[in-house]
Amino acid sequence: MAVSPGLSAKEHRRAVRWGPRAIASTRPIDELVAAAGFVDIEVVDVTEDFHSTASAWVAQWSRHEDELRPILGELFDERTTHHKEMIAGAEQGLLQRLLITARKPEK
C-alpha cells in the first residue's frame, strides 16, 4: 500500500492512519525504490484488485467469526477494523495498492 499522490496534509494523515505501517513518506514510491539503488522501475496500480480481495477477506472473516474469534481473540477485531480502514482509504482515493518491479543494476 502507498499513500496516493496529491493529497492535502489532512488527507495524507488519514491515509497514514488507515494504511499499513511505514507508509508515511510523502515521496513517490518510484523515487524511494530508485533511492534504494534499483533501476528499470515499473509501478502498476492494482488498487481495484486489492479492493475486491480485501472485501472478500472481510466478508469471509465475518462469515467465520464464530470459529475465528475464539482462536484470535482481540486480534480478530483489530484485523477486521484495519482491513475495513484500508478498504475505505482505497475507496476514498487516499490509498493505493501498487505492484512494483525493479532490478539491481549490474556491477
Side-chain angles (χ1 to χ4, degrees), residues 8 11 17 22 38 42 49-50 54 56 72 79 94 99 102 107:
S8 69
E11 290 170 326
R17 236 184 6 260
F38 290 92
E42 292 186 38
D49 295 324
F50 163 77
L72 297 172
R79 286 189 179 181
L94 303 174
L99 175 63
K107 293 181 181 182

Side-chain angles (χ1 to χ4, degrees), residues 25-73:
S25 178
T26 56
R27 290 180 62 189
I29 196 75
D30 55 337
E31 287 181 18
L32 294 172
V33 175
F38 290 92
V39 297
D40 297 333
I41 301 161
E42 292 186 38
V43 179
V44 179
D45 186 340
V46 293
T47 305
E48 193 172 310
D49 295 324
F50 163 77
H51 186 273
S52 299
T53 302
S55 297
W57 185 94
V58 169
Q60 290 304 311
W61 271 54
S62 295
R63 181 175 171 220
H64 296 285
E65 180 176 356
D66 291 342
E67 299 120 69
L68 291 170
R69 188 173 290 285
I71 297 167
L72 297 172

